[in-house]
Structures are given as C-alpha cells and as structure tokens.
Amino acid sequence: MPRKNYPRSQPVQKNRQPLTTVHELNNCHQKRRFSTQQQAEREIASRQLTDPQLLLATYKCHWCGGWHLTSR
Ligand SMILES: [Zn+2]
C-alpha cells in the first residue's frame, strides 16, 4: 500500500493584517458620491436649508475619484 503523502499543515499566517484600505473602500461605497466638488457643495447647501446647524465638508476621494461629504 503506497504511503500517502499528506501535505504538512501549512503555517497559518497569523501576523497577516487585513488591509486597512478595505475599510476606507467600504466607507467610500457607503457614502454618496458626487462627480464634482460643486455638486457636493450644492448638496451641503440644500441640506443646510433644513438643518442650519449641519456642518459638512467636501473631500476628494482617491478611491473613486469623486467627491464625498464628511461631517466636521
Ligand atoms: Zn469614494
């Protein structure tokens, strides 16, 4: 009976850290995207009509190349 060559259990790469960028990427997909900063700022302006206390800022996203809103 041929001896079966079991593969050795491979070392688990416990030190392998998840990419921190994944979180940012997911965050990007959850956020509303604007193609231009002007559109994003227009959205802020319209929201501040109903909520003047709202403080939002626009930022350019390097993942999707669009613009998102972030609370300050
Ligand atoms: Zn994005």
Side-chain angles (χ1 to χ4, degrees), residues 9-72:
S9 61
Q10 296 179 350
V12 182
Q13 297 180 343
K14 285 181 179 175
N15 291 332
R16 195 173 182 181
Q17 294 187 346
L19 292 171
T20 56
T21 54
V22 171
H23 174 71
E24 294 180 35
L25 191 62
N26 290 338
N27 200 17
C28 165
H29 282 287
Q30 287 169 0
K31 285 174 175 260
R32 190 169 168 189
R33 186 181 308 149
F34 301 91
S35 52
T36 65
Q37 185 181 20
Q38 194 182 22
Q39 288 180 357
E41 288 183 340
R42 201 176 295 162
E43 172 69 15
I44 293 178
S46 69
R47 285 202 208 175
Q48 285 176 337
L49 288 177
T50 54
D51 187 2
Q53 303 293 316
L54 201 64
L55 285 176
L56 291 172
T58 62
Y59 71 93
K60 175 97 170 167
C61 179
H62 61 274
W63 285 109
C64 63
W67 291 81
H68 297 300
L69 304 184
T70 182
S71 54
R72 285 192 279 206

